[in-house]
Each structure stands twice: as structure tokens, then as C-alpha cells.
Amino acid sequence: MIERGAMQTWKMLWLALVSAILVACANTDDSEVGLPTGARTEQAYYEMAQRQLRTSQWDLAIRNLRALEDNFPFGNYAEQAQLELIYAYYRNYENDAAIAAADRFIRLHPQHRNVDYAYYMKGLSSFTEGTGLFERFMPTDLTSRDPGSARESFAYFSQLMARYPESRYAPDAQKRMIHLRNLLARYEVHVANYYFKRGAYLAAANRGRYIVENFQQTPAIPDALAVMVQGYHLMEMPELEANALDVLRNNYPKHPAFNEDGTFNYDFYKGPSGRSLVHRVTLGLFEKSDPRGFDSRELYNPEYNRDETPLPPELL
């Protein structure tokens, strides 16, 4: 009887504890989002969210903006809250949520006077996609990463430019599109260098030609031409090699792949020691050091120019 009574007591205590937790979760006090108890007006939500946005309390601002929309979907602040929710998600590094919120705003308010902002934030959120905590504090080469986010960002900015060319966000979007285009072109050079490492010369040459045909006026063009020269040389295609070499020599005579006497250094991409026996036997699978690869960014791309000096006229 004693044991049965003890069990009943413990059971009642356990049920009481569970009930208390459920009640606490269900009756979240407004003070958790910075509002005084009982203040649930639309204006109170909005003003508190504004204060939290100004003080970079992104999580709390998101909660208040969402609460405002949930409780006052047709109120005076609803549309503005939806726009500011996009920004709060973006600043809180919730890029997917920011893009989803922007898509929702565009779908609900296609003729809104600030809909161009939603398009801009879609591009901006994709632009910073993948730049996590490590990338924000340590320099990384984004051109060697998966270009999916860069392509999406370029497409979103393109939509903004096509639909709202006079938007106040258009100038910044255009600058970012130039940067993204350069990034995408450089990614193709990385792929071509990888193909050289694996001995896939045709694939490398095709990548170089793809850059020349699709990414004109980007800093990757000199390396793309060098890739074509190297690839056609290794495949013993002298006519195509000569054409690419003429274009490279006439337009970029200072490319690092040229020797001092102006001849093309066909061993340049291999690095000082060339390929090892291990590389040749294993097709590059167990090579301890990668070939140098073609990378003249510090010479032709101002973003990578360490001396920050203007390019000479013959390189422009």
C-alpha cells in the first residue's frame, strides 16, 4: 500500500510538472519580445521592432515583426513589416528565410512602390549565401567554391535591372553583377586548371573557349586564352594554338606565361618542378602538390592587385 501510494504521488508530481511546462510554453509573456505585459497593439509591435532593428537585436525584431503580421495581417504597418522582416532575416544571416520572405512580398504586392527592394534583397541574400562565420573573419577564395549561389544572385539582380532599371538599388546591383560575373569566370579557370591536373586537355581547352565566348571583358580572359594555348599545344592542334596565342600576345603581352623573349612557356602551368612520376602513374590522384595553374588575377584584376597601382595602358 505504501509503495502504491508513493507511486501515485510521484505520478501526480510528474503530471503537474509537465502541465506547468506546457502552460509556460503556451502562455509566452509579451515581455520575451520586449513588450510590456498586455501591450498587443499593432503600433506597439511595430515600434518595438523598430527599436530592436536599430540596436541590431535581429532575433527579437524578427519575432515582433512576425507577431505583427500574424495578429494584424491587414493593418497599417503590415506591408512595411513584411519588408523589414526581409532585412532582419538578411542581417541575421538567415538568407534562405530572407529570400522566401522577399518572394512572398513580391507575390502578395507585385505593384507595391517598394517591390524593387524585395528583388534587390533576393540578390543580396544570395550574394552572401555560404559566407558563414569562418568566411567572415578569415579570407577565403570564393572563386573556387560552388558557383550556384553566385549564379542565383546574378539572376536575381538581373531581374531587378530588367524590371526596374531606374530603381535606386540598380547602381549597386549593377556593381555586384560585375563582381559576380568576374567570380563566375574565374571559377571556370579553376576548373580548367583542375582538368590540366587530371590530364583532360580537351576539357581544359573547352573551358578556356567557354570563358572567351561568354565572359568577355572580365579579368579571367587572359588566363582563358593561356588555357587554350596550353590545351591545344598538348593536343597537338597547332592552328588553334596559334590563333589563341596571337590573341593572347597582342592583347596581354605581360601575361606571366610568357618568357622574357616573348615565347610562351608551355611548362608554366606545371610549376617549377613539372609533373612527378607519381602524378603520371596515378593520373594526378596522389600528387602531393598541385600544378601552379593559370592565375594572373594580381596582374589583371584590380581587386587582387596588392600594390593597388593602376594597370598600365597596355593591360587595359
Side-chain angles (χ1 to χ4, degrees):
M1 293 294 295
I2 296 176
E3 292 182 358
R4 184 175 181 181
M7 290 180 62
Q8 290 290 343
T9 301
W10 279 109
K11 184 176 180 180
M12 293 181 66
L13 290 173
W14 174 252
L15 290 175
L17 178 62
V18 171
S19 299
I21 294 174
L22 292 175
V23 170
C25 293
N27 297 314
T28 303
D29 189 78
D30 290 333
S31 62
E32 292 184 3
V33 291
L35 289 172
T37 303
R40 297 189 179 186
T41 66
E42 180 186 13
Q43 185 175 356
Y45 277 121
Y46 184 76
E47 291 179 352
M48 180 55 65
Q50 290 298 303
R51 287 195 290 272
Q52 290 160 348
L53 289 172
R54 287 193 296 268
T55 55
S56 302
Q57 299 180 72
W58 310 119
D59 282 324
L60 293 177
I62 288 169
R63 292 174 61 184
N64 271 312
L65 291 169
R66 292 182 60 180
L68 188 155
E69 186 178 4
D70 290 343
N71 290 282
F72 307 95
F74 304 105
N76 296 327
Y77 298 98
E79 294 178 1
Q80 185 62 29
Q82 292 170 11
L83 285 171
E84 292 177 355
L85 183 61
I86 300 171
Y87 178 74
Y89 278 134
Y90 166 73
R91 292 301 305 270
N92 206 38
Y93 302 105
E94 298 181 51
N95 294 314
D96 290 338
I99 294 171
D103 279 330
R104 182 170 179 268
F105 185 88
I106 293 170
R107 186 175 64 254
L108 293 176
H109 315 287
Q111 305 301 323
H112 194 278
R113 64 184 183 280
N114 292 325
V115 71
D116 58 332
Y117 175 78
Y119 281 101
Y120 173 73
M121 289 304 298
K122 283 180 64 177
L124 200 60
S125 298
S126 291
F127 186 87
T128 56
E129 181 67 30
T131 54
L133 181 64
F134 180 80
E135 288 80 4
R136 292 198 294 273
F137 292 98
M138 297 293 293
T140 58
D141 187 0
L142 297 179
T143 65
S144 61
R145 302 183 59 175
D146 182 359
S149 295
R151 291 195 182 103
E152 286 184 358
S153 180
F154 189 90
Y156 292 147
F157 285 135
S158 297
Q159 289 179 355
L160 171 65
M161 297 297 295
R163 294 173 182 268
Y164 307 98
E166 303 300 323
S167 169
R168 59 175 173 169
Y169 306 109
D172 184 71
Q174 189 173 28
K175 292 178 183 178
R176 292 179 187 275
M177 289 175 69
I178 293 173
H179 172 78
L180 288 166
R181 194 164 178 266
N182 292 344
L183 186 151
L184 291 170
R186 177 53 53 181
Y187 172 79
E188 297 296 332
V189 175
H190 283 307
V191 174
N193 286 331
Y194 170 78
Y195 283 143
F196 276 131
K197 174 185 174 183
R198 299 301 302 271
Y201 306 133
L202 177 60
N206 286 339
R207 287 283 178 162
R209 186 179 65 182
Y210 176 80
I211 297 168
V212 171
E213 293 175 350
N214 296 276
F215 295 98
Q216 283 291 327
Q217 299 181 341
T218 64
I221 291 295
D223 287 330
L225 290 167
V227 163
M228 294 171 67
V229 174
Q230 183 75 45
Y232 291 139
H233 174 77
L234 293 172
M235 291 187 293
E236 299 181 356
M237 304 175 72
E239 184 175 351
L240 293 175
E241 174 193 346
N243 291 338
L245 183 57
D246 286 343
V247 176
L248 179 62
R249 181 179 287 114
N250 291 332
N251 291 276
Y252 307 99
K254 302 298 183 180
H255 192 279
F258 284 117
N259 295 314
E260 292 183 0
D261 60 359
T263 58
F264 191 88
N265 180 8
Y266 292 100
D267 290 328
F268 173 82
Y269 87 101
K270 300 176 184 177
S273 60
R275 288 184 170 184
S276 67
L277 177 62
V278 174
H279 182 102
R280 293 194 296 271
V281 172
T282 64
L283 299 178
L285 292 175
F286 299 101
E287 179 66 73
K288 293 184 178 180
S289 60
D290 292 341
R292 177 191 300 180
F294 295 104
D295 190 347
S296 60
R297 279 178 286 184
E298 292 186 8
L299 181 61
Y300 296 108
N301 191 340
E303 294 182 22
Y304 296 88
N305 193 326
R306 293 179 179 176
D307 295 332
E308 296 184 357
T309 55
L311 294 176
E314 66 269 18
L315 301 183
L316 296 175

